[in-house]
Amino acid sequence: MVLLTLIARVRDGLILATSIEGPDENPDMVKYTNQAKMLFRKLSAPNTPSQQTVESRPYVFHYVIKDQICCLCLCDMNFPRKSAFAFLEDIANEFNGQNGSRVATVTRPYHFLDFDAYIQQAKKRYSDRSRFAMAAVNNELTDVTRIMVSNIEDVIHRGEALNILESRASDLSDMSRKYRQDAAMLNRRSMMFKVFAALGFAGLIFLILRFFVL
């Protein structure tokens, strides 16, 4: 079963559309929506897979990146991966067909809420395995074994660890730059002290020669 569907812009993670759930929505869905938002914020990182499965037990996220957008769904663990990715491919292609030219200019979240109507139709088709799902899977996605499977904590915290490393590297670079500046300033002060000391010594010798020797 598909529990949640979100579409976001890859560039900045801005959520463009979502499936609107009914009154019986799982109260824990807020938690998984927040996890989805964190996943979206990782999409612009280098080497991000274009398709991925991310486990967040007892559920699992699947996502597909198409052009400027990422389509993501949250499913039960026993929902077939092929059905999930076929569903995502379907809504990604339809969304790009309807709204692809406007994705880059949108400034407010959930701008395309009217796309929920198509999401609900697609969800019903791919959940109805007896009539639609298996045929759609066989036609659209024949192999999902190569799609990476990760854990939600690994995906979320991997980026945070990289940010920490980058921050520490930046701090070390700043410290090194400050050390070089301090060293240069100390060298200048040392040179000036030597010059003034030499001038003072020369002046003292001059005074001694002038008043005591001459």
Side-chain angles (χ1 to χ4, degrees):
M1 179 179 180
V2 177
L3 303 169
L4 174 69
T5 308
L6 292 165
I7 301 175
R9 187 165 58 195
V10 173
R11 185 183 74 215
D12 54 7
L14 180 72
I15 297 179
L16 305 173
T18 183
S19 58
I20 301 173
E21 307 299 334
D24 295 330
E25 180 182 355
N26 187 330
D28 291 334
M29 208 52 58
V30 172
K31 165 188 171 183
Y32 296 103
T33 300
N34 289 334
Q35 288 182 349
K37 291 178 180 178
M38 287 188 281
L39 288 173
F40 286 142
R41 287 197 288 269
K42 308 293 181 182
L43 295 178
S44 59
N47 302 318
T48 299
S50 60
Q51 296 178 317
Q52 190 171 15
T53 294
V54 181
E55 294 183 353
S56 181
R57 293 181 179 276
Y59 304 117
V60 59
F61 291 103
H62 304 288
Y63 76 73
V64 168
I65 295 176
K66 286 277 187 178
D67 300 327
Q68 302 178 74
I69 65 166
C70 174
C71 295
L72 174 147
C73 65
L74 179 72
C75 305
D76 293 318
M77 293 291 291
N78 60 355
F79 189 79
R81 292 179 68 206
K82 287 186 177 182
S83 295
F85 281 105
F87 164 70
L88 292 172
E89 290 276 345
D90 186 338
I91 63 173
N93 291 333
E94 182 67 22
F95 186 89
N96 281 330
Q98 291 186 21
N99 309 302
S101 61
R102 295 186 288 162
V103 168
T105 58
V106 170
T107 58
R108 60 183 177 86
Y110 303 101
H111 184 83
F112 302 102
L113 275 182
D114 56 342
F115 191 72
D116 173 61
Y118 187 85
I119 293 176
Q120 297 296 345
Q121 294 172 12
K123 185 189 299 185
K124 186 176 186 304
R125 289 199 306 271
Y126 288 94
S127 295
D128 189 353
R129 302 180 196 177
S130 61
R131 290 190 296 158
F132 296 101
M134 300 318 297
V137 166
N138 291 333
N139 290 334
E140 297 186 34
L141 281 178
T142 59
D143 183 16
V144 295
T145 58
R146 290 170 294 179
I147 295 175
M148 182 184 301
V149 179
S150 302
N151 182 272
I152 186 70
E153 286 82 7
D154 294 338
V155 174
I156 291 173
H157 295 304
R158 185 190 316 140
E160 293 178 356
L162 289 174
N163 290 338
I164 291 171
L165 288 175
E166 290 175 358
S167 176
R168 289 179 178 175
S170 177
D171 291 343
L172 287 174
S173 177
D174 292 341
M175 290 174 63
S176 176
R177 189 181 305 110
K178 187 176 184 303
Y179 172 79
R180 290 196 297 269
Q181 292 172 349
D182 291 346
M185 183 176 64
L186 287 173
N187 286 335
R188 287 195 296 271
R189 288 181 177 177
S190 176
M191 181 63 68
M192 291 175 63
F193 176 79
K194 290 178 181 179
V195 170
F196 286 126
L199 291 174
F201 182 73
L204 180 62
I205 296 298
F206 175 77
L207 291 174
I208 291 174
L209 292 176
R210 181 179 178 86
F211 294 105
F212 295 101
V213 175
L214 299 179

